[in-house]
Amino acid sequence: MALLEVRDLAVRFVRRGEPTVAAVDGVSFDVPAGRTVGLVGESGCGKSVTSLAVMGLLPRDGTEVSGSVVLDGTELLGLSRREWDRRRGSEMSMVFQDPLTSLNPVVPLGIQVSEVMERHRGMSRRVATREAESLLDRVGIPDPRRRLREYSHQLSGGMRQRALIAMALACRPRLLIADEPTTALDVTIQAQILSLLRELVAETGTALVLITHDLGVVAGMCDEVNVLYAGRIVECADRHALFAAPRHPYTAGLLESVPRLDTPRGQRLAPIAGSVEDNIPWSVGCAFSPRCASALPVCSERSPAVETVGPGRLLRCHNPLDTDVGNTESSHD
Amino acid sequence: MTEPTPSPARRPEAAPPPEHTGDALVELDEVCVHYPIRRGVVFDRTVGWVYAVDGVSLRIERGRTYGLVGESGCGKSTLGKALLRLERPTSGSIRFDGIELSDMSGRRLRRMRRRMQMVFQDTLSSLDPRQSVESLLVEALRAHGLDEGSESTDRLLRELLSAVGLPAGALRGYPHEFSGGQRQRIGIARALAVRPELVVADEPVSALDVSVQAQVLNVLRDLQERFGLTYLVIAHDLAVVRHVADRVGVMYLGVLVEESDSDVLYERPMHPYTRALLSAVPVPDPEVEDRRERILLPGDLPSPAAPPSGCRFHTRCPWSRPGVCDVERPSLRDVGGGHLVACHYAESIERGRSPAESG
Ligand SMILES: Nc1ncnc2c1ncn2[C@@H]1O[C@H](COP(=O)(O)OP(=O)(O)OP(=O)(O)O)[C@@H](O)[C@H]1O
Ligand SMILES: Nc1ncnc2c1ncn2[C@@H]1O[C@H](COP(=O)(O)OP(=O)(O)OP(=O)(O)O)[C@@H](O)[C@H]1O
Ligand code: SF4
Ligand code: SF4
Ligand SMILES: [Mg+2]
Ligand SMILES: [Mg+2]
């Protein structure tokens, strides 16, 4: 049994006078302890809403959540707010894209970090402060004692993200969800933060859900990758298999449309046609069909179901791309 | 039909083939833009300077694309704005088509501006949402006296839209009705409406989804071929810049640290900062990611208000040599074939030796 099991998670935003938004539409994935699982997809595909649902952080009003989220054997959906608060912090925590909005601007950093530990690990202020100092040191913040007294606006973007990771780790969570943790950062700082996350997962055995739109980040970080499109997972595979031979036309299209450093220069890019505005509802057919070069007539008439097409490999498509027989499974670890 | 300036008309139907004659359309010489830091309740006092751009020289050849990369705050946008004279340079010379712009003002400057246009990260978000696309474009034409009566303007607008890959029906739409990629195309159409020779594109695709980025990059390339445009493309994404640019400059804290033809720069980066930058860009291939060597830079970018002495990169450079790098500022020198590098030890670092060993 995996540490986190998400089954048929659906999130709908219902507003009076506005059409209902099916932001997440039947998402299932597993996160085993000590593994890094990626959720990748373009803006609006439901990555953040999925993670907020798992963390119990969605607004209660006007939000319908269904399905199942099981952490270490316990169903989380339907827990009381207090129960959820207790687990968030002690068993699971989250790092957001924009560290500035997730840190309290008027409370010194040290107090913010040590409070988490006082609350969830029952430490005294003195012990918690000492622990906070070693945590900041651990995530690579120089001169941690001085930093503890500073406020978030006095830190650079990279330092803030480190501080946020320190806070998320303060309770030694078994599950860490990082939502675009490096999107707002420069590449050299991104490299620092990613290497920090890699070390932490290796050392602590924390399960990591990494949310990003950057396929390069996924390729270097994740054991398994889930590709989301319009609220549904369309392909799930081990990272080696996925990048060696993507089988969903959307995954393949994404890989072909990004300029990259390791391919010959000067080639014309092969963009995916149209934009997500062209999608059709999943209830009608494949949401991607208006943009898909492999679409068949059936694609706009019947919604494709998820199928298992190999070990740990799932696909939602009527007309998937062929595998190059024999070379995709060879690199499994 | 009269031309407001002596520049060649660049009508869509009269597209001249791109010429790579090697003449410079843009020449910057030791350009500085320093912003004052002011304090004080009653009297504004200048207590320091932000050295946003601090002595940049470069040339952009006609019909070519110059890519400017570097991390946040290194001065890329400021340099782009100085070039278009949206910002007044503190010192240095800016020549466009041989004409000195740095001290130009008033009507002459406005006339020059028609020949140089800017595309921002999300150009349309800054515009009036109640204005239709048609009226946005007509307004741009009118601002430069190019609205030549309804029939020819009409035709021009249609051609513009089709050049950026939008249906003519888009003219009646309003900015918010379009997706990000479409809005960016409209922004490009607006910049092209006045038939510029130079387009400065500041992060033209960084707000877009990856699948749509490629569409806009292709549009930019097609337009360049069709109209012989010259581009300055500013972006923090090194893969995007590699894809579009013929020549690339790498900025760090207000200065150029390396410049060369795009192929050379990415094949054989020589400045330690460029090497670190390139080693940090994630590549969507797990096999590459697992075995590549990464140069992790310690610490953060220093403040451009207090740039380090000597080589500005010495506080983070793994090869920095005390007594030299923190004292002597390296000049941007040609290490062969027009490959410019500002590092005392570029050659020995490339040969895989530390500066200490090279003596
Ligand atoms: N509180 C909300 N009320 C209504 N709709 C919402 C709400 N939060 C998110 N949505 C919608 O749900 C969809 C999924 O949003 P989500 O934030 O999960 O996207 P994402 O994949 O994280 O995108 P990005 O890469 O831009 O962060 C979007 O269409 C969004 O507009
Ligand atoms: N009007 C201004 N007044 C004072 N300082 C400024 C002004 N505009 C920019 N700066 C400063 O000048 C430096 C260079 O800014 P600039 O916007 O050119 O950087 P950039 O390379 O474009 O960064 P980014 O990638 O974040 O867009 C920064 O430190 C910035 O804070
Ligand atoms: S189901 Fe059809 S439209 Fe959808 S991705 Fe597969 S082939 Fe394309
Ligand atoms: S001059 Fe010295 S500090 Fe600067 S990049 Fe070269 S080796 Fe590094
Ligand atoms: Mg999000
Ligand atoms: Mg900028």
Side-chain angles (χ1 to χ4, degrees):
Chain A
M1 193 184 65
L3 177 69
L4 175 73
E5 292 184 347
V6 176
R7 290 290 171 272
D8 279 324
L9 180 69
V11 179
R12 289 149 53 88
F13 295 105
V14 188
R15 295 261 158 72
R16 223 177 306 131
E18 278 175 45
T20 297
V21 178
V24 176
D25 197 11
V27 159
S28 305
F29 62 95
D30 284 348
V31 187
R35 304 283 280 178
T36 298
V37 172
L39 294 182
V40 62
E42 294 175 281
S43 190
C45 70
K47 304 181 294 293
S48 295
V49 172
T50 301
S51 59
L52 294 172
V54 170
M55 293 294 294
L57 288 172
L58 286 170
R60 300 224 159 180
D61 288 342
T63 310
E64 295 174 6
V65 183
S66 64
S68 151
V69 176
V70 174
L71 181 71
D72 201 14
T74 309
E75 172 65 56
L76 300 183
L77 296 185
L79 285 186
S80 73
R81 194 171 291 219
R82 259 193 52 216
E83 265 300 302
W84 215 319
D85 280 347
R86 195 177 63 73
R87 275 165 220 275
R88 200 170 41 233
S90 64
E91 288 169 27
M92 51 198 214
S93 53
M94 187 157 169
V95 177
F96 298 91
Q97 170 174 349
D98 182 2
L100 200 53
T101 56
S102 11
L103 289 168
N104 189 332
V106 296
V107 178
L109 201 62
I111 307 238
Q112 293 187 57
V113 179
S114 55
E115 259 181 0
V116 183
M117 288 184 281
E118 286 170 45
R119 187 148 28 94
H120 290 284
R121 281 165 72 187
M123 291 178 172
S124 71
R125 169 63 54 100
R126 254 206 26 234
V127 176
T129 307
R130 208 165 345 114
E131 182 80 12
E133 198 181 309
S134 84
L135 256 177
L136 291 197
D137 186 49
R138 176 72 198 78
V139 297
I141 296 182
D143 199 1
R145 182 164 304 187
R146 179 167 63 86
R147 294 295 182 187
L148 284 176
R149 290 191 296 269
E150 291 189 342
Y151 297 88
S152 54
H153 69 88
Q154 290 172 289
L155 303 178
S156 69
M159 286 300 156
R160 274 184 221 128
Q161 199 55 285
R162 283 167 196 270
L164 213 65
I165 291 173
M167 273 173 73
L169 293 174
C171 294
R172 303 189 184 138
R174 306 178 59 198
L175 174 71
L176 176 65
I177 301 183
D179 188 351
E180 306 267 10
T182 57
T183 304
L185 304 176
D186 280 322
V187 279
T188 61
I189 309 296
Q190 162 167 288
Q192 295 170 356
I193 299 287
L194 292 180
S195 114
L196 170 65
L197 284 173
R198 240 183 246 122
E199 278 170 40
L200 291 171
V201 168
E203 276 169 31
T204 60
T206 300
L208 175 64
V209 177
L210 184 68
I211 294 176
T212 176
H213 66 275
D214 187 329
L215 291 160
V217 170
V218 170
M221 293 287 295
C222 300
D223 299 303
E224 282 102 47
V225 185
N226 294 282
V227 181
L228 264 89
Y229 191 79
R232 290 194 179 179
I233 291 173
V234 293
E235 182 162 19
C236 168
D238 158 271
R239 68 170 170 146
H240 294 285
L242 187 85
F243 285 92
R247 296 207 55 202
H248 196 281
Y250 173 62
T251 316
L254 273 186
L255 280 168
E256 270 163 40
S257 64
V258 285
R260 38 197 285 185
L261 289 183
D262 60 338
T263 50
R265 208 176 75 78
Q267 280 169 356
R268 231 184 123 76
L269 298 172
I272 299 175
S275 71
V276 290
E277 326 263 314
D278 302 319
N279 289 353
I280 62 169
W282 282 112
S283 55
V284 175
C286 171
F288 186 57
S289 58
R291 306 176 67 191
C292 180
S294 307
L296 302 172
V298 64
C299 299
S300 49
E301 291 157 10
R302 204 152 45 78
S303 189
V306 178
E307 281 174 64
T308 305
V309 294
R313 185 144 199 187
L314 304 174
L315 205 53
R316 184 193 289 280
C317 178
H318 289 306
N319 187 23
L321 305 172
D322 287 336
T323 39
D324 295 340
V325 184
N327 78 12
T328 51
E329 305 300 322
S330 60
S331 49
H332 252 263
D333 46 347
Chain B
M1 187 177 67
T2 53
E3 278 297 310
T5 66
S7 75
R10 295 209 192 278
R11 288 248 164 228
E13 69 267 33
E19 306 159 328
H20 297 306
T21 49
D23 63 327
L25 180 65
V26 174
E27 290 163 287
L28 305 184
D29 195 19
E30 287 298 315
V31 172
C32 293
V33 182
H34 300 166
Y35 295 112
I37 306 171
R38 293 191 207 281
R39 292 274 153 70
V41 186
V42 185
F43 302 104
D44 253 8
R45 285 179 305 124
T46 297
V47 295
W49 298 89
V50 176
Y51 301 94
V53 173
D54 202 24
V56 170
S57 305
L58 58 85
R59 41 187 276 145
I60 308 177
E61 285 171 15
R62 221 181 274 275
R64 292 283 170 131
T65 301
Y66 190 103
L68 202 55
V69 297
E71 293 178 287
S72 183
C74 70
K76 304 181 296 294
S77 298
T78 305
L79 186 68
K81 285 187 218 153
L83 163 53
L84 299 187
R85 276 301 318 275
L86 300 169
E87 199 73 71
R88 180 181 276 280
T90 314
S91 64
S93 145
I94 299 169
R95 280 189 306 279
F96 178 84
D97 202 10
I99 304 160
E100 181 62 50
L101 298 184
S102 55
D103 48 7
M104 202 181 261
S105 59
R107 278 235 330 259
R108 283 185 63 216
L109 183 58
R110 266 202 306 282
R111 272 219 308 275
M112 288 302 295
R113 285 223 177 99
R114 185 194 64 74
R115 303 173 64 187
M116 325 179 281
Q117 289 292 307
M118 190 141 180
V119 174
F120 300 96
Q121 194 173 101
D122 188 356
T123 304
L124 283 198
S125 68
S126 56
L127 298 173
D128 186 349
R130 288 160 305 182
Q131 219 178 352
S132 72
V133 170
E134 174 163 18
S135 92
L136 285 170
L137 295 177
V138 171
E139 191 180 78
L141 287 174
R142 213 164 271 159
H144 293 283
L146 296 175
D147 182 10
E148 294 153 347
S150 63
E151 205 169 298
S152 88
T153 298
D154 230 46
R155 188 154 41 88
L156 177 65
L157 294 189
R158 268 160 221 285
E159 278 164 4
L160 269 172
L161 281 193
S162 103
V164 298
L166 288 173
L171 282 176
R172 287 185 303 277
Y174 292 82
H176 70 269
E177 297 168 5
F178 295 95
S179 68
Q182 288 171 326
R183 277 215 303 273
Q184 202 59 330
R185 289 162 190 245
I186 297 168
I188 293 168
R190 180 169 178 266
L192 292 190
V194 300
R195 288 172 265 150
E197 289 145 76
L198 173 74
V199 173
V200 175
D202 192 352
E203 303 282 2
V205 295
S206 56
L208 302 177
D209 271 333
V210 279
S211 72
V212 180
Q213 258 187 27
Q215 298 170 3
V216 172
L217 290 176
N218 283 345
V219 164
L220 283 172
R221 166 183 284 208
D222 293 346
L223 293 171
Q224 178 166 46
E225 280 175 15
R226 195 158 154 201
F227 302 127
L229 295 167
T230 306
Y231 287 146
L232 173 64
V233 174
I234 296 171
H236 67 276
D237 186 327
L238 283 105
V240 165
V241 168
R242 173 175 180 263
H243 181 76
V244 299
D246 303 301
R247 199 161 172 85
V248 176
V250 181
M251 276 183 88
Y252 187 79
L253 280 184
V255 300
L256 272 180
V257 295
E258 184 160 8
E259 188 200 279
S260 83
D261 289 341
S262 191
D263 290 321
V264 174
L265 189 94
Y266 287 85
E267 282 281 302
R268 231 185 106 201
M270 288 185 72
H271 194 281
Y273 177 62
T274 316
R275 292 162 69 105
L277 211 54
L278 284 173
S279 84
V281 177
V283 170
D285 181 343
E287 319 305 327
V288 175
E289 281 290 303
D290 286 356
R291 68 185 146 72
R292 71 201 294 226
E293 189 195 346
R294 286 194 182 77
I295 306 170
L296 281 188
L297 295 180
D300 277 317
L301 220 61
S303 158
S309 61
C311 172
R312 297 196 163 190
F313 187 53
H314 86 258
T315 55
R316 297 171 81 201
C317 179
W319 288 277
S320 164
R321 196 171 170 199
V324 181
C325 297
D326 53 349
V327 182
E328 289 169 35
R329 184 162 168 180
S331 60
L332 195 63
R333 61 197 170 86
D334 195 334
V335 294
H339 188 164
L340 311 180
V341 186
C343 168
H344 297 306
Y345 300 114
E347 290 89 347
S348 53
I349 290 168
E350 206 210 1
R351 285 196 300 270
R353 276 186 287 159
S354 73
E357 289 169 64
S358 72

